[in-house]
Amino acid sequence: MRYQNFFLSIGSLLLLGAVSACGKGAVDVGNVGAGGTGPKPVADDGTRGTPLIALGERNRGGGQCAAPMVAWQPVRRLSRLEYNNAVRDLFKDDTHPGDGFVAEEKVAGFNSNSKSTLSGLAAEQYLNAALDVAERVSSTVSAVTGCASETDKTCIKGWLTSTARKAFRGTFADEEKKQLLADYDALASSDAKAALQLGVGAILTSANFLYTLESGAGSGGVVPLTSGEIAGRLALTLWRSVPDDALLVAADAGKLDNAAGVQEQARRLLQDRKADAALADFAQQWLNVERPPAGKDANSFPTFTPTLGNAMVEETRRFFLEVARNDSGSFTELLTANYTFANKEVGAFYGATGGGDDFVRTPLPASRRGVLTHASVLANAAHALQTSPVLRGKLVREQLLCDPVAPPPPGTNTNVPPVAGKSDEELFDEHSKGSCANCHRYMDPIGKGFARFDAIGAYKEGAAAMGFIEKPELTELPDDISGTFDGPVALAQKLATSKQAQQCYAVQTMRWALAREERTADACSFEEMWRAFDASGLNLREALVAVVGTPAFRFRAAAQGGQSCQ
C-alpha cells in the first residue's frame, strides 16, 4: 500500500510513546491526581485474599469506608481475547487476529498485560494485524461502515469518529479527533480507499485503543472515573470488548455517575450473549482449564483424543455459562450440581448413553458433582501418565480457598516417575517427605481425595483406583472446612457451605475484574462486594454486578512519582 511506511512509523511512535510515558509513572500517562489534595494513599500492610474482607469489615465498623479508598490501578494492554472481540464489534471482523499475539502474563492468577513492557515482536504483531484489518474493511466498505462507498467522505468521517470513540472505550479528546480526521483528509483527496485504511489503522495502533488509559474526573488522591471511562471499564470487564451505542448514550446522559446507574447497565450487558466470552474467560482461568488437556500417554489412555479434550473444556464452559446466566445460579450450584452439559464424547466418557454433537443438559453419575469433578479440571491437574494429588490439592487450596502455597525451590524435579513394585501412593508420599513436607502437607491431603479419578479424569472403581484408602483431611483451615472428607463429592459439599470458599470466590471475581492484585486500600471495596454477593444468595451474576458498584471499579487513585505502569 502507498501509505504503509507512513502508517508503520506513526504506529510505532504511538506504541513507543505509551510505553515511554509509563516509565515516568502513571501520573504522566493521564495526569491522574496531579496537583490535588485528595486522601493520602493507604499504607499497604500486605493483607491479601479473604483476610482483606475481614479488614474491610473492621474498617467499615470504624467508619473508615465513608470516603472512597482505592488502590492504584496500573495501565495495561488489551488481552488477545479483548483485541479479538473489539475488532469483531468495531469492524465486523471475526478472523481473531489476536490469537497469534504474544501471550499475556498472569497477575493475581489472571491474564493481564500490566507488568510486561511492549516487545518489538508484540509491536510488529499489532501493526501487521491493523494493516490486515484495514484491508478487509476497505474491501467491504458498505457492510462495515454503512456508507455507500469509500468515496462518501462525509459518511466515512462520521463513521471513523464514532468508531474511534468506541475503540478508545468512551474517551475521545477533541485534539485526537481533529488529528485523525486531518490525516484522513490529507490522503482522501488523492486516494479515498487508502485514506479509509489509514483511519482504521490509526485507530488500531493508537495507545488509546491498545492501553487502558484513564485520567478520572478532577484531581486528588482518589478521583471518580469519567462517565466515558466507566463505560469503557464496563464493556472491557463484562464483554471483554468496547462499549456499544446504548452504553455511551447512558454515559453522556450522566447515568453512570453513581453505583446504581453503573449496576443497571451491568445487568443489561450481562443479558447480552456477548457476555458469554467474558464469563467463560473468568471460569477457564479460575479453574485452570484455558487449554484442553494434552500430552497424555497414548498407550495408557488410547481413548483420549484431542477431540475429547476439546469437548471436556467446552463442557465446563457451557456448564458455567448456564449457572452464571440463570436467575438462581449460585456458587453452591456450581460446586454441587448433579448435571452438566455434554455431547456424545463427554457423555460416553461419563457413562451416559445416547447424545449427539450438541452439548445438552445431562445427569451426572453419583461419583461426580459440580465443576471439581469435570474431566477438564481433573485432567488438567494431572500428569501424562498419573494423577497428581499435588496439582489437584493445589488447585483447591489456591483457586477455591485463596490460600496460596509456596512454589517448589528452583531446580526441584516435580515429576514422579513410576517405579516397579511401588504404588502411586507410596511414590507420592515419598516424594513429599523431607524439606518438601512443609508445603505438601497443605496440598497432598486434599488431592488424595481425588484418587479414584485417573490422569484423564476417568472414574476408576476398586483396585483400578490409585489407592489412598484412608479418608483425606483438610488441615490448617477454619472449622467450617477442616476435617476428613470421603471423595470429591463430599469435598464439594464442604466447600459450598464454607465461608472461606465463598469469600474466595468473591476475591477471585474481583481480581479478574480489576486485572490486578488487591491491596490494603481495596479492603472496603472487597468487603462491600462480599456483602452484596452474600445477600444475593451467592448468585454468580450478582457477584459481577456487585463488583462494578464498588469504589475499586468506579474510582482511581493517583500513582506516586516513580511508579511504573508497565
Side-chain angles (χ1 to χ4, degrees):
M1 289 181 289
R2 291 171 52 186
Y3 67 95
Q4 182 168 350
N5 291 336
F6 169 71
F7 171 45
L8 289 172
S9 66
I10 64 167
S12 298
L13 288 172
L14 285 166
L15 292 169
L16 294 175
V19 176
S20 298
C22 289
K24 298 176 184 177
V27 173
D28 292 324
V29 173
N31 201 31
V32 180
T37 57
K40 293 181 179 180
V42 177
D44 187 35
D45 66 2
T47 302
R48 302 288 186 272
T50 55
L52 193 64
I53 295 175
L55 175 60
E57 291 172 345
R58 294 194 297 272
N59 286 349
R60 189 169 300 281
Q64 298 175 50
C65 295
M69 290 192 296
V70 180
W72 174 58
Q73 182 78 31
V75 172
R76 67 179 182 89
R77 283 180 288 122
L78 294 183
S79 70
R80 291 166 294 174
L81 173 64
E82 291 162 345
Y83 189 99
N84 285 339
N85 289 348
V87 167
R88 176 200 66 199
D89 294 339
L90 294 168
F91 306 111
K92 301 180 181 179
D93 187 319
D94 282 318
T95 61
H96 300 98
D99 284 355
F101 288 177
V102 174
E104 306 83 7
E105 83 274 7
K106 295 284 186 183
V107 175
F110 295 98
N111 291 339
S112 176
N113 281 325
S114 62
K115 291 187 176 181
S116 61
T117 56
L118 181 73
S119 67
L121 174 60
E124 182 179 0
Q125 290 173 334
Y126 287 142
L127 294 168
N128 288 335
L131 286 167
D132 292 341
V133 172
E135 287 274 18
R136 287 191 288 271
V137 169
S138 67
S139 67
T140 54
V141 176
S142 179
V144 175
T145 69
C147 302
S149 73
E150 67 269 15
T151 60
D152 188 346
K153 298 177 185 177
T154 300
C155 181
I156 294 294
K157 288 169 71 173
W159 176 80
L160 284 172
T161 299
S162 63
T163 299
R165 189 185 178 201
K166 292 177 184 177
F168 300 164
R169 290 176 291 281
T171 303
F172 191 21
D174 288 341
E175 60 271 21
E176 293 165 347
K177 176 181 175 181
K178 290 177 182 177
Q179 186 63 58
L180 175 67
L181 297 182
D183 290 340
Y184 169 83
D185 284 333
L187 190 56
S189 58
S190 59
D191 193 334
K193 182 176 182 179
L196 171 60
Q197 292 174 336
L198 177 61
V200 171
I203 290 171
L204 288 176
T205 56
S206 171
N208 292 293
F209 172 67
L210 293 172
Y211 292 85
T212 58
L213 303 176
E214 299 166 335
S215 298
S219 61
V222 175
V223 296
L225 296 175
T226 67
S227 291
E229 289 167 347
I230 288 286
R233 273 205 187 185
L234 276 172
L236 200 59
T237 302
L238 303 181
W239 282 352
R240 286 296 188 242
S241 187
V242 296
D244 63 355
D245 290 328
L247 190 52
L248 293 179
V249 168
D252 292 340
K255 294 182 178 180
L256 303 182
D257 294 344
N258 56 65
V262 174
Q263 290 177 320
E264 179 181 350
Q265 283 297 314
R267 291 190 173 93
R268 179 182 70 82
L269 267 60
L270 286 169
Q271 290 295 329
D272 193 290
R273 299 310 305 189
K274 284 196 288 188
D276 286 358
L279 294 170
D281 178 58
F282 166 74
Q284 290 178 241
Q285 291 191 68
W286 173 52
L287 295 169
N288 292 339
V289 294
E290 292 177 80
R291 288 172 291 277
K296 302 302 179 181
D297 184 77
N299 292 324
S300 300
F301 307 107
T303 61
F304 183 82
T305 64
T307 300
L308 177 59
N310 288 327
M312 287 176 174
V313 173
E314 184 63 16
E315 174 208 4
T316 302
R317 178 183 177 276
R318 296 285 186 103
F319 172 72
F320 185 87
L321 291 178
E322 170 67 17
V323 179
R325 285 196 162 281
N326 195 304
D327 289 342
S328 61
S330 67
F331 177 72
T332 302
E333 183 176 0
L334 193 65
L335 293 183
T336 63
N338 61 1
Y339 70 92
T340 189
F341 282 79
N343 65 354
K344 59 184 177 183
E345 285 85 10
V346 175
F349 188 78
Y350 288 169
T353 58
D357 294 332
D358 293 335
F359 286 78
V360 297
R361 184 168 173 136
T362 304
L364 283 172
S367 58
R368 298 183 192 265
R369 289 292 182 271
V371 290
L372 284 184
T373 59
H374 280 202
S376 64
V377 176
L378 295 165
N380 269 307
H383 299 300
L385 186 62
Q386 302 160 301
T387 183
S388 174
V390 179
L391 293 177
R392 291 173 178 177
K394 184 174 186 287
L395 175 77
V396 172
R397 198 96 200 187
E398 296 190 343
Q399 305 304 103
L400 276 298
L401 295 171
C402 293
D403 190 26
V405 180
T412 301
N413 182 9
T414 58
N415 294 316
V416 185
V419 176
K422 287 192 175 183
S423 68
D424 286 344
E425 179 178 8
E426 291 172 323
L427 290 171
F428 277 103
D429 282 347
E430 184 176 311
H431 181 69
S432 60
K433 290 178 180 177
S435 61
C436 299
N438 189 49
C439 290
H440 278 270
R441 67 191 178 98
Y442 293 104
M443 299 178 290
D444 294 14
I446 302 174
K448 287 179 178 180
F450 294 86
R452 293 198 178 278
F453 293 94
D454 67 15
I456 63 171
Y459 184 76
K460 302 297 182 182
E461 291 281 4
M466 181 175 172
F468 306 131
I469 299 173
E470 295 182 3
K471 292 182 180 179
E473 186 172 3
L474 290 158
T475 58
E476 312 292 337
L477 288 168
D479 290 342
D480 70 354
I481 192 67
S482 293
T484 60
F485 64 94
D486 188 8
V489 172
L491 173 62
Q493 291 285 351
K494 289 174 72 75
L495 291 169
T497 58
S498 163
K499 185 175 181 180
Q500 174 151 339
Q502 295 166 358
Q503 288 190 339
C504 178
Y505 184 85
V507 168
Q508 299 286 26
T509 305
M510 289 286 285
R511 287 171 173 169
W512 171 81
L514 298 176
R516 63 170 173 81
E517 297 168 325
E518 66 270 22
R519 302 288 177 184
T520 301
D522 294 313
C524 293
S525 288
F526 272 62
E527 188 273 339
E528 179 182 317
M529 184 271 177
W530 158 247
R531 274 191 298 114
F533 177 46
D534 187 35
S536 74
L538 307 178
N539 184 273
L540 301 193
R541 186 173 61 207
E542 288 303 304
L544 288 167
V545 173
V547 168
V548 304
T550 64
F553 190 90
R554 299 187 299 112
F555 290 76
R556 68 160 298 143
Q560 300 304 297
Q563 281 183 314
S564 174
C565 57
Q566 286 299 110

